[in-house]
Amino acid sequence: MAEYLANATQLVALNQPLIFSASIPCNRGNVIHEDETGVFILRGNTTGCFARYQVTYNGNIAVPTGVTVGPIAVAIATNGETRPTSRAIVTPAAVEDYSNVTSTAIITVPRGCCYSISVRAVSGLVDDEVGTPAASLNATNSNLVITRIA
């Protein structure tokens, strides 16, 4: 298990990753991360066909000052592509009104391959909604846990 933290409040632009500053790294080299970045590398070190990881994000998000209140969201991305089923959406009542969100994804990495993952600010609009997504969000007390499960 590896754990990565970002306690300070950060302004995250739409489609950009949250930055993680502190870590309890993986001691086996299966998860690679450089502090102060938002990209993690999962390695397919295995004698079987694939390595499987559970990736769980938990944190507090809010609409920042100067942005119109509306739905905001974060999601786990694999190799730059957001996993729609990992999207955690909240609609705050006001600017700087923080809500806690959790997102989980199971990532399967083929033997010998590496996948990059990140937690990104994404549109909070549901597919059939019309509107403009928030251009950014605030994230604080972020915690990312990556556990090798197979």
Side-chain angles (χ1 to χ4, degrees):
M1 180 185 83
E3 181 177 20
Y4 303 91
L5 309 170
N7 291 323
T9 300
Q10 60 182 293
L11 179 67
V12 184
L14 188 65
N15 297 318
Q16 294 301 307
L18 281 70
I19 304 300
F20 289 84
S21 58
S23 63
I24 302 170
C26 170
N27 292 328
R28 296 184 178 181
N30 294 324
V31 180
I32 301 167
H33 175 254
E34 183 177 343
D35 284 350
E36 302 299 329
T37 68
V39 176
F40 300 80
I41 304 298
L42 304 181
R43 296 178 65 201
N45 290 344
T46 183
T47 57
C49 294
F50 57 85
R52 185 167 285 155
Y53 297 86
Q54 179 175 325
V55 178
T56 302
Y57 168 79
N58 181 268
N60 299 313
I61 62 174
V63 173
T65 300
V67 175
T68 303
V69 174
I72 54 175
V74 295
I76 296 168
T78 305
N79 294 334
E81 294 291 326
T82 301
R83 290 179 166 245
T85 56
S86 74
R87 197 165 58 151
I89 305 170
V90 65
T91 304
V95 168
E96 300 294 333
D97 181 16
Y98 282 87
S99 296
N100 186 266
V101 295
T102 298
S103 177
T104 298
I106 303 297
I107 312 290
T108 301
V109 182
R111 179 178 58 211
C113 292
C114 291
Y115 281 8
S116 67
I117 63 162
S118 60
V119 178
R120 296 179 175 263
V122 297
S123 172
L125 298 175
V126 180
D127 293 335
D128 60 351
E129 286 183 307
V130 176
T132 303
S136 60
L137 58 80
N138 279 346
T140 190
N141 298 339
S142 295
N143 182 1
L144 183 69
V145 176
I146 302 171
T147 305
R148 173 89 178 249
I149 56 175

